[in-house]
Amino acid sequence: MITIVPMNEQNYKAVAEIEAECFSQPWSEKTFFGELSNQNAHTYVAYESGEAAGFLSVWEVCGEVSINNIAVSENYRRKGIARALLQKMLSDLSCADSVTLEVRKSNAAAIALYESFGFEHVGERRGFYEKPTEDALLMTKILNGET
Ligand SMILES: CC(C)(COP(=O)(O)OP(=O)(O)OC[C@H]1O[C@@H](n2cnc3c(N)ncnc32)[C@H](O)[C@@H]1OP(=O)(O)O)[C@@H](O)C(=O)NCCC(=O)NCCS
């Protein structure tokens, strides 16, 4: 069973571990700790069988939500955890106007995930990523206050 809770002082280190496992230029433990006092930040942690298995970090400013990162530890993938995290965030922030994100052009898994939620390709950012250098796709979902 998947349980989703807000990031807190007890689980932010586990979030940083998942981040370090999944990304070549990870946010540090200190950065995640700082997010706990960021009024615009919403960080969700997914548990499976009592273990922190994934997280989703977004910022909401004036009705515009940006996804900073979503990641699921390798052993827990393809179990619906990322889907559950996005559903929870979209339900909590349903009054927002839009959700935007960047994703590596080669990241077929993440692009398929976002497309399944109705995110559309709205642009590209050349050389946006490092390690390795790669373009980003810019994707947006317009919410229009939907629930
Ligand atoms: C992308 C990621 C978050 C998906 O997490 P997940 O928990 O395995 O995803 P889910 O099980 O919730 O899958 C939901 C949908 O996403 C798509 N998807 C997920 N992984 C996929 C893959 N490897 N290939 C193709 N589609 C995939 C599918 O549409 C899937 O629905 P389905 O299982 O019914 O076919 C995970 O692969 C990950 O952490 N990757 C590394 C970090 C990363 O790239 N994050 C994105 C940064 S923009």
Side-chain angles (χ1 to χ4, degrees), residues 22-23 69-72 76-83 102-103 107-110 112-114 116:
C22 296
F23 298 106
N69 253 336
I70 183 167
V72 173
Y76 292 95
R77 289 187 190 161
R78 291 319 283 267
K79 293 170 180 279
I81 291 176
R83 184 179 299 287
E102 286 100 7
V103 56
N107 194 342
L113 169 71
Y114 297 133
S116 76

Side-chain angles (χ1 to χ4, degrees), residues 2 4 23 46 54-58 67-73 76-90 99 101-121 137 139-141:
I2 302 167
I4 296 176
F23 298 106
F55 74 92
L56 167 63
S57 155
V58 306
I67 296 183
N68 299 314
N69 253 336
I70 183 167
V72 173
S73 191
Y76 292 95
R77 289 187 190 161
R78 291 319 283 267
K79 293 170 180 279
I81 291 176
R83 184 179 299 287
L85 284 162
L86 279 169
Q87 272 163 353
K88 171 70 174 151
M89 181 274 289
L90 289 168
V99 184
L101 60 94
E102 286 100 7
V103 56
R104 282 184 185 269
K105 261 183 154 176
S106 65
N107 194 342
I111 292 168
L113 169 71
Y114 297 133
E115 284 178 342
S116 76
F117 275 84
F119 283 81
E120 295 182 352
H121 300 216
L137 288 183
M139 300 182 79
T140 293
K141 179 178 169 69

Side-chain angles (χ1 to χ4, degrees), residues 11-145:
N11 61 24
Y12 79 93
K13 290 184 180 175
V15 169
E17 279 178 25
I18 298 168
E19 168 92 355
E21 175 197 322
C22 296
F23 298 106
S24 62
Q25 293 191 294
W27 279 9
S28 66
E29 212 174 86
K30 196 175 160 194
T31 298
F32 281 105
F33 182 73
E35 289 292 281
L36 294 173
S37 51
N38 177 350
Q39 301 286 320
N40 298 117
H42 302 260
T43 310
Y44 299 91
V45 187
Y47 285 82
E48 167 76 58
S49 311
E51 295 290 326
F55 74 92
L56 167 63
S57 155
V58 306
W59 289 332
E60 187 197 11
V61 180
C62 299
E64 293 186 7
V65 177
S66 20
I67 296 183
N68 299 314
N69 253 336
I70 183 167
V72 173
S73 191
E74 203 156 351
N75 291 339
Y76 292 95
R77 289 187 190 161
R78 291 319 283 267
K79 293 170 180 279
I81 291 176
R83 184 179 299 287
L85 284 162
L86 279 169
Q87 272 163 353
K88 171 70 174 151
M89 181 274 289
L90 289 168
S91 148
D92 282 1
L93 304 182
S94 62
C95 291
D97 299 319
S98 64
V99 184
T100 297
L101 60 94
E102 286 100 7
V103 56
R104 282 184 185 269
K105 261 183 154 176
S106 65
N107 194 342
I111 292 168
L113 169 71
Y114 297 133
E115 284 178 342
S116 76
F117 275 84
F119 283 81
E120 295 182 352
H121 300 216
V122 293
E124 294 189 12
R125 297 198 197 284
R126 296 284 292 275
F128 183 79
Y129 292 104
E130 295 174 5
K131 291 190 177 178
T133 301
E134 188 174 352
D135 297 348
L137 288 183
L138 188 60
M139 300 182 79
T140 293
K141 179 178 169 69
I142 303 297
L143 298 182
N144 294 322

